[in-house]
Amino acid sequence: MRTRPGTVPGRVPTNHLPDLLKDVFPVLTSSLIRYAQPVPRYTSYPTAPHFHDGIDHVSYARWLGETDPHKPVSLYLHVPFCDRLCWFCGCHTKQVRRYDPIADYLDALGAEITLAAKALPGRRHVSAIHFGGGSPTVIEPDDIDSLRRKLDSAFDIDPDCEISVEIDPRNARPDKLEAWHRFGMTRASLGVQDFDSDVQRAINRLQSFEQTRVVVEALRDVGVGSINLDILYGLPLQTTETLRRTIDLAVSMRPNRIALFGYAHVPWMKKHQSLIDQNTLPGLAERFDMASFGAAQLAEAGYIPLGIDHFADENDNLSAAAATGKMRRNFQGYTTDEAETLIGLGASSIGNLPQGYVQNAVSVGDYIRRVRAGALATSRGFALSPSDRIIGKLIESLMCNFSFSIADLRRTFGSQVDDLQIEAAAITAEEKDMIDFDGDLFLVKSAARPFVRTIASRFDRYLPTNKARHSTAV
């Protein structure tokens, strides 16, 4: 078995890289350790470690009741089960061998859908639905149909609603794909990670290219119009060469989007990650190489880089949203969803409302008990202050656009943003090699974009008091 490589085979000579990527290498040699420090992924602000139990089901019901009845909502439904537990996984999920626990959970999920809908002011339109996991493809076809009926009884799902489902190719039987098509799935997201067999054994996820290709073709045959593939770098035994081959194979299937995520090794949070031999993990410089060369390879294949880790073809709606400044970032990553209210359903699900964030009980048993008692399953959350909303908007703009405008923030929030101009100038003075700031536009230089999470963290009011540990920023 391979051990962690000291030198990376198959490395592309730097004179073959795009000019943008060449600019990154001086940063690598001088400041990688400093800027690749562990920081949040900023899918929210404040981030989840700051949620607290002072926000409960009563608070959540009140917040739902205060939402604008004329505006659509979006839904996230979490399925916390898998046929087999992958060792790299950072999700709230568990392996099950029987269907009974899944059936019990789906019964509670249906009850929660009813409870959430009743708390809203009037019957609401739904503009986006996302099924995540775990693995939504553990659900049997009859229950997929039942879920759609339950949602239809509680909400008005818009005809053009984007319905995305995370698909595990290893359990995506044709009858399940047909059921998800009946449900209305418009976008399928398939986990790939790495097609190298040694890497797959090291993360306990055996999934061949052929197995994945067959499912992609089956999804297209049933009429799913958009395919996403998720690839990870920084996995055990992985090299730039295994990643290059994986990207080549992924591109051959011509997905509409590819996400190139950095593996977050957090065994203090996810105990099963301790099954991965840390000695086989790539080092910091190797991770940076993988991210950089992978991004260049995808750009050369015609994919447009979006944010820190997404790539899409020019016809994808995420590309259009990014081009018009409408790309958003939430707990599902980069999205076109513009609804101001995201209702999280299921164990551990997080909701986002104008008033703040809420999270359901993480334990499946606790979640089911709460719902069967006739209450929403909220276990914690966070009420946003005016300052939180300003910084949250600023950080989201950095994560989506690598910039923010003081004038734009002032138009939304008024004079409350005045102190930010001084703060932005001070940060620029300290990081002049990374940032341009003209008094209005705060712009992360192209060479510094891999470290935008670290730059965003400079505006984070809570990070200095945060005792949580985070994954590396590269």
Side-chain angles (χ1 to χ4, degrees):
M1 179 175 287
R2 286 172 288 173
T3 57
R4 181 178 63 82
T7 59
V8 182
R11 176 172 292 173
V12 181
T14 56
N15 61 355
H16 289 172
L17 294 173
D19 290 340
L20 177 64
L21 188 54
K22 290 180 187 177
D23 293 340
V24 172
F25 282 83
V27 179
L28 170 64
T29 56
S30 63
S31 304
L32 179 58
I33 294 176
R34 176 185 176 192
Y35 290 109
Q37 61 187 286
V39 290
R41 290 181 180 263
Y42 290 115
T43 52
S44 73
Y45 179 82
T47 54
H50 298 288
F51 296 0
H52 56 82
D53 60 11
I55 304 297
D56 59 12
H57 66 95
V58 177
S59 309
Y60 182 31
R62 184 178 69 252
W63 287 0
L64 286 172
E66 294 170 350
T67 59
D68 188 336
H70 304 293
K71 292 183 177 181
V73 300
S74 61
L75 309 176
Y76 171 75
L77 295 92
H78 188 67
V79 182
F81 302 104
C82 295
D83 294 325
R84 184 175 184 179
L85 188 62
C86 303
W87 296 342
F88 70 88
C89 183
C91 302
H92 291 299
T93 188
K94 61 181 180 179
Q95 179 176 324
V96 290
R97 299 188 182 279
R98 298 180 300 110
Y99 195 72
D100 289 351
I102 300 172
D104 288 344
Y105 177 79
L106 293 175
D107 181 66
L109 186 62
E112 189 194 10
I113 289 169
T114 300
L115 289 168
K118 285 183 177 179
L120 291 164
R123 187 176 174 89
R124 299 296 282 276
H125 284 267
V126 175
S127 58
I129 300 174
H130 185 95
F131 278 86
S135 174
T137 41
V138 299
I139 305 176
E140 290 295 327
D142 286 349
D143 286 330
I144 296 170
D145 294 337
S146 178
L147 262 178
R148 176 67 201 228
R149 290 192 297 270
K150 176 63 72 172
L151 288 171
D152 282 333
S153 71
F155 299 97
D156 289 330
I157 299 176
D158 291 346
D160 59 351
C161 177
E162 180 171 284
I163 301 176
S164 59
V165 182
E166 295 178 11
I167 302 289
D168 185 343
R170 300 169 301 170
N171 63 14
R173 300 193 319 253
D175 59 333
K176 292 183 178 182
L177 298 183
E178 288 282 358
W180 281 116
H181 175 59
R182 289 195 301 273
F183 188 98
M185 175 173 57
T186 61
R187 184 182 301 279
S189 181
L190 287 74
V192 167
Q193 324 322 334
D194 191 304
F195 283 124
D196 183 85
S197 58
D198 287 342
V199 175
Q200 290 184 354
R201 280 189 288 272
I203 61 176
N204 197 40
R205 185 186 177 97
L206 299 178
Q207 176 186 323
S208 69
F209 167 70
E210 182 63 18
Q211 188 177 27
T212 307
R213 184 190 63 78
V214 167
V215 173
V216 168
E217 291 183 357
L219 286 163
R220 288 179 171 141
D221 286 344
V222 299
V224 177
S226 183
I227 305 292
N228 305 354
L229 299 181
D230 292 343
I231 298 172
L232 286 179
Y233 66 85
L235 292 170
L237 302 181
Q238 192 180 42
T239 68
T240 53
E241 178 59 21
T242 70
L243 182 62
R244 182 194 63 76
R245 290 196 299 265
T246 291
I247 291 175
D248 278 344
L249 290 169
V251 166
S252 74
M253 292 181 278
R254 296 314 302 175
N256 305 83
R257 296 182 197 171
I258 294 177
L260 180 62
F261 298 120
Y263 164 59
H265 190 64
V266 288
W268 56 89
M269 290 175 56
K270 298 297 178 181
K271 298 300 183 185
H272 56 265
Q273 290 188 353
S274 299
L275 296 168
I276 291 176
D277 182 357
Q278 285 199 163
N279 293 322
T280 65
L281 291 172
L284 193 59
E286 292 163 320
R287 284 176 63 98
F288 189 88
D289 277 359
M290 290 179 190
S292 301
F293 288 107
Q297 185 178 352
L298 287 167
E300 290 171 355
Y303 288 89
I304 299 169
L306 305 172
I308 61 172
D309 49 25
H310 275 50
F311 301 81
D313 66 39
E314 61 181 2
N315 298 316
D316 189 86
N317 63 351
L318 193 64
S319 298
T324 56
K326 293 183 178 180
M327 185 170 72
R328 302 282 308 280
R329 184 166 174 83
N330 62 19
F331 289 97
Q332 284 76 62
Y334 290 107
T335 178
T336 60
D337 180 16
E338 296 187 68
E340 67 178 20
T341 297
L342 167 64
I343 298 174
L345 299 162
S348 80
S349 286
I350 296 177
N352 181 11
L353 297 89
Q355 303 94 326
Y357 300 103
V358 291
Q359 183 172 21
N360 280 347
V362 172
S363 159
V364 170
D366 190 15
Y367 165 78
I368 292 176
R369 283 191 294 272
R370 289 172 185 251
V371 173
R372 287 182 175 166
L376 293 165
T378 315
S379 64
R380 63 185 194 136
F382 197 97
L384 295 173
S385 70
S387 173
D388 295 333
R389 292 186 177 91
I390 294 169
I391 301 302
K393 186 68 174 177
L394 179 157
I395 288 178
E396 184 181 33
S397 185
L398 281 174
M399 297 297 294
C400 291
N401 309 312
F402 301 103
S403 67
F404 67 83
S405 164
I406 296 290
D408 286 348
L409 291 172
R410 187 176 287 118
R411 277 190 286 272
T412 303
F413 300 104
S415 60
Q416 298 176 82
V417 308
D418 289 350
D419 288 346
L420 276 177
Q421 192 169 32
I422 299 171
E423 184 176 0
I427 292 172
T428 303
E430 295 177 9
E431 311 287 359
K432 57 182 180 295
D433 293 334
M434 311 288 280
I435 301 161
D436 283 325
F437 181 56
D438 62 5
D440 174 34
L441 184 65
F442 183 97
L443 179 66
V444 179
K445 295 181 180 180
S446 59
R449 288 184 176 186
F451 310 111
V452 68
R453 287 168 55 194
T454 302
I455 295 169
S457 74
R458 298 294 301 273
F459 295 94
D460 189 334
R461 306 304 194 239
Y462 298 94
L463 191 59
T465 62
N466 186 358
K467 296 180 181 179
R469 297 169 68 184
H470 301 283
S471 60
T472 178
V474 169

